[in-house]
Amino acid sequence: MMPATSTATTLSPAELSYLHTSLTQTPPLRPDLRSSTEFRPLRAETDLLPTCNGSAHVSLTDGSEALVGIKAEVHRTAGANVTKRLDEEMREKMSLDEPSSTISAAAAAAGLDSNRKPRGHPDWISLNVDISTLRDDDALLIFLSEMLREPLLTTSTTTTTTTTTTTATRSSSLADMLVINSNWHWHLHIDILLLSPFTASGTSYPLPLLSLATHLALRSARLPKLKSQGEEDPLVDDDWESSLFLFPPPPTSARKPESSASGKAGPNEQHSIPPREAGRLLTMPPITLLVMTVNSNIIFDPSHSELAVADAVLAVSVSFSSDTTTHHHHHHHAQTPTLLAVRTIETPARDTMRGVPAAGEVVEGDLVPGVWRPRVGGVKREVLKRVVRAVLGASADDSGVAREVFDGLEAFLRS
Amino acid sequence: MPLDTASTYGQTLLRTDGRRWNELRRISASISTQPSTDGSSQFVMGNTVVVCNIVGPREGRGQRDTNNALIETEVTVAPFAQTDRRRRTKGDKRVQELQTTISSAFQAHLFTHLYPRSSITISLHVLSLDGALLASCLNAASLALVDAGVPMPSILAAVTSGVITSTDGITPSDPILDLNNSEELELPFLSVGTVSGLSEHQEDKVSVLIMESRIQIGQNGKKLEAMLAVGVDGCKQVRTIMGEVVRTHGTRILRGRK
């Protein structure tokens, strides 16, 4: 359980009860008249800091504003040979454990691949959140930075079902993309700055804002092109024009003129980013969405006052991938969201004051309609399932909120 | 070979970035950039970018002054502000000194007696740093305080100035205005902030003056005096630009009201 979204709310029990009642309606009646899956409008710009490999600035209508800068440094890989040997051992184990022909073939392919390029290490990505009003060792800062860092480290093994066969495809994690050769790697420093003043009782939980800003910064991040090949010590090209995107823009999207640099390099050329062959997954950085539930209603991107009456607050992390082998009729669904994690965050509604009914005190545990009582208990499995379905999309027609958010962000990058 | 100002300046009278001795870098600023604060500004001086938010005047917490408002300053230098990443913790001595300097400068400058038992919090974020850290922070804070509507006699403007010491002894030492990061590393420099005099006939008053490098006072060339003169003159130029920013913003607001 994560620490509370905020320490105390300034709302009275009567106000809380009013908010709670309006949010339990079908459809929920939100204070700013948004629909349950609607996000607050946001403004974003990317690639604005000249001294960073990638940067993004995102601001919401409530005035909260975040800036993310990503810097990449070349570091020597510690114990390079050890990781390689472990990797080989793992490959042998994999092929022994799984006798199924298709899977072992895929594993062998993955193994061959890892033989050529060693795997990445989670320590190569450091993420640091800075909120000026909080101490450096504040629990909220530590939890926020871990919640933002964790989805970046996962290697999801996605099973894609094509028309005839089921193949397991290993999508490479972000750390794997940072490998230069067995002795050298890139180290990513992701520094997140909350520019707007933060007060625990007056600002909405910054997690979704920081997550979206990090996503955009990673999408805009470029690494200089390597002149060195194979096991040579890294030597980079001075020309920033020829730098390569860490996450190349999806092929279906219209490319910006400067992004054509990644296309020019050609897929088979030796460079820092693993070449994308057919059948590999094109992954995109994850997004963490904040979802709250009130009774059976699911509400996305809750504002500060809405959070105050939440039955449960969930942080849902989603990654995106597109299979380059998908058939043409799938092309409008190029980015498939994959669930990475669902976490519960302590709701501030637990710490609120109980309302007292006009008739006077009632027996402990009795429910008086319209009178506020602090929320207790967790979240029902059924509701959790609906949250996941709402995020990922239930069917081919219903694309899900995650895809909508992704497409929205994509528009910022393309404009 | 890295270019240095001292060896080439004597021949060309141009600094490494092509400026003359008394030229400022490009300055652009805007105010009311953050809707959720009482006052905000963004100040860009060359490659240095500072964002400032003001919270207050509001009821003070903890230690309060019964006669005046207290000014608190928080400075955050982003880890990605310079070419090499460097993270400064909240307890960093240099940052704390910077905070104290800015707080005391505005404590003396603003009409704090109008807000007894209150506090004004200046929160500064340095997003990109290429010299003139203190000067840019002071300028950004000044503009944000104007936006917050805190009464003050004039706009506090700051700038850095340095001196190029001739190596051959023939060419005279020249004071230079508004140093960038590489010049700051190489040359002695000072940060100076001034406020304009009470009437038009009075001279500007120096309210902040910090110098961290060694230099001779008085003797041959009067280097310090020259630096100070150039600095005070530079402050006047910066104040004109800042005043223009405030007026432009005000005009736009008034036009919107019609």
Side-chain angles (χ1 to χ4, degrees):
Chain A
M1 186 71 81
M2 293 291 137
T5 51
S6 58
T7 43
T9 171
T10 46
L11 299 170
S12 68
E15 286 169 317
L16 291 170
S17 169
Y18 174 79
L19 262 172
H20 191 262
T21 320
S22 48
L23 288 177
T24 44
Q25 308 293 313
T26 12
L29 211 57
R30 302 176 70 169
D32 46 7
L33 295 174
R34 280 184 286 161
S35 76
S36 60
T37 56
E38 201 175 327
F39 278 63
R40 285 168 288 186
L42 62 88
R43 277 182 304 161
E45 49 186 333
T46 55
D47 233 352
L48 63 152
L49 295 171
T51 55
C52 287
N53 289 70
S55 54
H57 174 223
V58 177
S59 49
L60 291 178
T61 41
D62 67 348
S64 48
E65 207 180 349
L67 187 78
V68 178
I70 296 174
K71 266 187 190 287
E73 289 170 352
V74 175
H75 283 196
R76 189 180 267 280
T77 309
N81 295 326
V82 181
T83 45
K84 201 172 172 187
R85 221 176 296 134
L86 276 175
D87 215 57
E88 273 165 8
E89 258 172 46
M90 221 165 73
R91 174 166 52 111
E92 278 159 22
K93 238 183 214 163
M94 268 175 84
S95 47
L96 281 175
D97 289 352
E98 290 161 33
S100 159
S101 62
T102 49
I103 291 173
S104 64
L112 267 175
D113 192 62
S114 64
N115 199 17
R116 204 179 64 216
K117 256 181 193 293
R119 301 291 303 275
H121 194 275
D123 288 350
W124 298 353
I125 302 162
S126 51
L127 189 142
N128 151 48
V129 182
D130 199 340
I131 298 176
S132 64
T133 45
L134 298 182
R135 285 163 55 107
D136 278 342
D137 57 354
D138 195 282
L140 179 67
L141 278 188
I142 293 161
F143 275 110
L144 274 177
S145 58
E146 268 316 295
M147 264 151 96
L148 291 166
R149 199 175 83 100
E150 264 180 8
L152 293 174
L153 305 176
T154 49
T155 316
S156 55
T157 308
T158 327
T159 312
T160 40
T161 317
T162 51
T163 41
T164 48
T165 52
T166 307
T167 48
T169 328
R170 198 200 72 215
S171 64
S172 55
S173 76
L174 178 56
D176 291 340
M177 298 184 200
L178 301 175
V179 175
I180 295 173
N181 55 39
S182 61
N183 290 315
W184 298 92
H185 66 267
W186 294 102
H187 186 110
L188 276 195
H189 289 284
I190 305 173
D191 291 296
I192 306 173
L193 222 63
L194 191 72
L195 294 180
S196 52
F198 179 82
T199 45
S201 58
T203 355
S204 60
Y205 199 55
L207 178 69
L209 170 74
L210 303 185
S211 165
L212 296 183
T214 312
H215 176 91
L216 284 175
L218 278 167
R219 295 281 302 274
S220 78
R222 286 189 279 175
L223 296 176
K225 196 180 163 203
L226 285 173
K227 276 180 174 166
S228 57
Q229 291 189 340
E231 292 298 303
E232 289 171 9
D233 282 357
L235 183 72
V236 299
D237 195 338
D238 292 344
D239 190 4
W240 187 242
E241 286 298 304
S242 66
S243 60
L244 302 159
F245 277 98
L246 190 56
F247 292 95
T252 45
S253 73
R255 285 188 178 182
K256 289 193 290 181
E258 68 260 33
S259 71
S260 63
S262 63
K264 239 183 345 200
N268 294 320
E269 234 177 284
Q270 181 74 32
H271 52 69
S272 62
I273 301 154
R276 319 287 173 148
E277 294 121 20
R280 293 293 299 267
L281 288 176
L282 278 175
T283 52
M284 284 295 163
I287 293 176
T288 304
L289 303 172
L290 197 66
V291 189
M292 67 172 254
T293 64
V294 177
N295 283 4
S296 61
N297 281 342
I298 297 163
I299 291 164
F300 281 87
D301 190 30
S303 67
H304 179 71
S305 56
E306 286 170 330
L307 272 176
V309 297
D311 285 350
V313 185
L314 302 163
V316 186
S317 300
V318 183
S319 77
F320 298 89
S321 53
S322 68
D323 199 333
T324 44
T325 55
T326 27
H327 299 291
H328 58 92
H329 60 269
H330 279 145
H331 259 299
H332 58 282
H333 279 288
Q335 295 295 329
T336 329
T338 317
L339 188 74
L340 290 179
V342 181
R343 303 166 165 280
T344 53
I345 297 170
E346 178 92 349
T347 158
R350 284 189 213 287
D351 302 329
T352 47
M353 290 281 285
R354 193 161 60 93
V356 181
E361 286 290 335
V362 288
V363 189
E364 190 74 31
D366 270 15
L367 249 176
V368 185
V371 175
W372 175 254
R373 68 187 165 85
R375 299 293 116 181
V376 285
V379 53
K380 286 200 179 79
R381 256 167 191 265
E382 183 55 37
V383 177
L384 208 59
K385 206 159 119 189
R386 285 179 43 230
V387 168
V388 172
R389 210 172 281 163
V391 171
L392 297 181
S395 62
D397 309 317
D398 171 26
S399 59
V401 177
R403 273 250 324 158
E404 258 173 56
V405 173
F406 184 87
D407 290 344
L409 294 176
E410 184 74 20
F412 281 115
L413 288 160
R414 264 185 256 163
S415 61
Chain B
M1 191 194 86
L3 281 171
D4 64 326
T5 320
S7 58
T8 55
Y9 185 79
Q11 291 146 19
T12 57
L13 295 181
L14 288 171
R15 289 144 73 175
T16 42
D17 54 5
R19 284 184 289 157
R20 302 254 174 223
W21 63 275
N22 62 346
E23 268 182 291
L24 287 170
R25 288 176 285 175
R26 189 173 52 82
I27 294 177
S28 61
S30 45
I31 57 175
S32 280
T33 49
Q34 235 288 325
S36 68
T37 52
D38 296 306
S40 55
S41 71
Q42 190 181 33
F43 187 81
V44 184
M45 197 173 195
N47 284 326
T48 304
V49 182
V50 180
V51 172
C52 180
N53 293 324
I54 306 284
V55 179
R58 60 165 175 193
E59 191 184 339
R61 296 157 300 172
Q63 200 187 4
R64 282 186 286 193
D65 187 337
T66 38
N67 298 317
N68 294 303
L70 287 178
I71 317 287
E72 294 157 13
T73 310
E74 283 158 5
V75 178
T76 321
V77 182
F80 46 74
Q82 277 172 303
T83 316
D84 293 318
R85 183 182 180 276
R86 182 174 161 221
R87 182 154 186 248
R88 292 170 218 234
T89 51
K90 292 258 158 69
D92 189 290
K93 284 283 187 299
R94 281 193 66 82
V95 172
Q96 288 204 323
E97 196 194 341
L98 203 65
Q99 292 175 348
T100 320
T101 312
I102 295 166
S103 292
S104 57
F106 285 106
Q107 188 76 57
H109 178 52
L110 303 172
F111 291 139
T112 49
H113 65 275
L114 298 174
Y115 305 102
R117 301 177 66 77
S118 328
S119 75
I120 300 171
T121 310
I122 303 171
S123 145
L124 290 152
H125 293 276
V126 181
L127 305 183
S128 174
L129 180 57
D130 184 21
L133 174 61
L134 175 63
S136 309
C137 283
L138 283 168
N139 292 339
S142 256
L143 283 175
L145 284 163
V146 170
D147 186 37
V150 180
M152 59 177 94
S154 78
I155 296 175
L156 193 153
V159 83
T160 56
S161 67
V163 68
I164 297 174
T165 317
S166 63
T167 40
D168 51 9
I170 306 159
T171 45
S173 305
D174 251 354
I176 55 168
L177 184 63
D178 192 17
L179 289 77
N180 63 26
N181 195 45
S182 58
E183 285 171 330
E184 274 187 8
L185 290 173
E186 183 192 339
L187 305 171
F189 75 101
L190 55 79
S191 302
V192 59
T194 66
V195 295
S196 57
L198 292 175
S199 70
E200 281 196 12
H201 313 292
Q202 269 183 307
E203 285 188 321
D204 288 358
K205 286 179 181 161
V206 173
S207 63
V208 185
L209 179 61
I210 283 195
M211 181 161 184
E212 285 165 314
S213 26
R214 284 156 174 265
I215 198 161
Q216 286 177 322
I217 296 184
Q219 298 165 9
N220 58 33
K222 301 207 169 180
K223 287 176 194 161
L224 183 72
E225 289 80 348
M227 276 161 80
L228 207 51
V230 166
V232 170
D233 190 57
C235 287
K236 209 173 269 177
Q237 290 182 49
V238 174
R239 187 176 300 109
T240 318
I241 298 170
M242 285 162 73
E244 200 51 49
V245 169
V246 174
R247 278 186 197 94
T248 318
H249 181 77
T251 324
R252 201 164 54 232
I253 298 270
L254 285 176
R255 213 183 293 136
R257 286 247 172 95
K258 254 182 228 167

